[in-house]
Amino acid sequence: GLFGALAFDAAHFGIDEYLARTRPTLRSVMEHTGRHLPLLADGARCTFEVRGDLAYMQMQLPASVLHPAIYEFALAIGLLRARRITADPALSPREVHFTHARPTDTSRHERLFRCELVFDAPITQLVMSTKSLDREMPHADPGLRQLLEKRAEAMLARLPQSGGYAEQVLSLADRELRTISADHISGRLGVSERTLHRRLAAEGTSYRELIERARKTAALRFLEQPRSLEEVADLLGYASTQSFQRAFRRWTGTSPGSYQRQLSRRTG
């Protein structure tokens, strides 16, 4: 991932590279990165928050992305880009957080990021001092920025609409129901648990509602297979068969055993 970031051509950023260069400060660049990220990577998300004298840029990649190298690549190109557009090769964050385990050799990470490295973290993010964000950009150009923003917004409008965080949670839940938790899901999505709940609420749903939906869908699928109720309950992450049976009756108005028998009669 780090090698890929070092070899990455700035031209691949397209219009967003030029737009970033025209902004007045690095803070402005980071505040707007999440807005135009869909033009660069389908399903990727980036959030920027300031708390006191520290700023947090959190990265969330599609749920299908599992390999740690992809996350290392994403944070590395973000930092290298900041150094490039500010013309400050010494720019470094306070900390870099990765959700994967610490590699045996972190010498390349240390040379590239030049800051404290945190592994096994709950969120993938860069932590920066706000003082480093308020410097003026060397190529700031309000007039050109306005033209580029208009063009970038038109390009965004033509993109297919994503299902957002709810879609990401459902995708992860479908594969990990046995060990599902809000803390685990938020870590995989690169946000805090509190942020996850807030964004799901903005989409008109909740973590609990989505897990219930995922469990119901998976339960109906599992019961079509030659599985015992104990096995299905375990696959869905229930502590007991009785808990699963109560949930299934709430979803369907019947018991899982009755549902299996009805399926058996229909299929002969």
Side-chain angles (χ1 to χ4, degrees), residues 6-237:
L6 289 168
F8 193 78
D9 190 333
H12 292 306
F13 281 111
I15 190 174
D16 196 54
E17 172 76 6
Y18 299 103
L19 184 52
R21 288 175 178 270
T22 64
R23 295 197 181 281
T25 63
L26 183 57
R27 179 192 294 264
S28 176
V29 173
M30 292 192 165
E31 286 174 341
H32 291 84
T33 293
R35 173 63 182 165
H36 297 119
L37 191 58
L39 294 175
L40 307 175
D42 185 29
R45 297 176 185 274
C46 180
T47 61
F48 178 75
E49 298 180 36
V50 174
R51 299 176 221 147
D53 62 350
L54 294 178
Y56 301 81
M57 175 162 275
Q58 301 174 353
M59 179 63 66
Q60 172 213 338
L61 299 178
S64 58
V65 175
L66 301 175
H67 202 286
I70 305 301
Y71 291 91
E72 295 189 352
F73 171 80
L75 290 191
I77 61 172
L79 178 58
L80 291 171
R81 181 194 195 193
R83 288 173 178 163
R84 182 175 64 253
I85 62 179
T86 58
D88 181 3
L91 178 68
S92 295
R94 289 278 191 89
E95 299 175 1
V96 179
H97 295 193
F98 298 104
T99 57
H100 57 274
R102 178 179 290 271
T104 304
D105 181 6
T106 61
S107 58
R108 292 191 181 93
H109 300 74
E110 292 163 7
R111 287 197 298 271
L112 194 154
F113 291 105
R114 306 171 203 160
C115 68
E116 181 179 351
L117 304 171
V118 180
F119 294 91
D120 287 314
I123 300 170
T124 301
Q125 63 182 355
L126 292 172
V127 183
M128 304 189 71
S129 166
T130 54
K131 291 182 180 179
S132 66
L133 303 181
D134 292 327
R135 67 186 68 193
E136 294 183 359
M137 297 285 285
H139 303 291
D141 186 329
L144 180 57
R145 183 176 72 252
Q146 185 175 10
L147 293 174
L148 291 173
E149 282 180 340
K150 184 176 181 180
R151 175 61 177 165
E153 290 299 314
M155 293 169 68
L156 278 175
R158 291 198 296 270
L159 291 179
Q161 295 300 306
S162 167
Y165 278 81
E167 182 179 294
Q168 296 282 324
V169 171
L170 287 172
S171 177
L172 283 172
D174 187 56
R175 299 192 298 271
E176 304 178 19
L177 281 171
R178 179 180 278 166
T179 57
I180 204 74
S181 72
D183 177 66
H184 175 69
I185 289 290
S186 60
R188 289 286 304 278
L189 296 181
V191 297
S192 67
E193 187 174 338
R194 180 181 178 184
T195 297
L196 174 64
H197 289 302
R198 186 174 69 247
R199 290 179 182 166
L200 289 177
E203 293 180 16
T205 186
S206 68
Y207 173 80
R208 181 175 180 179
E209 179 182 335
L210 292 170
I211 298 306
E212 283 277 290
R213 190 193 312 175
R215 281 179 165 153
K216 177 183 177 181
T217 300
L220 296 175
R221 184 173 70 248
F222 290 149
L223 290 173
E224 293 176 356
Q225 304 164 3
R227 298 180 185 271
S228 68
L229 296 187
E230 292 78 9
E231 183 182 6
V232 173
D234 179 62
L235 288 170
L236 297 177

Side-chain angles (χ1 to χ4, degrees), residues 238-253:
Y238 285 101
S240 69
T241 305
Q242 290 72 28
S243 297
F244 164 54
Q245 289 175 318
R246 287 194 294 271
F248 193 86
R249 186 176 290 279
R250 185 174 67 250
W251 299 332
T252 66

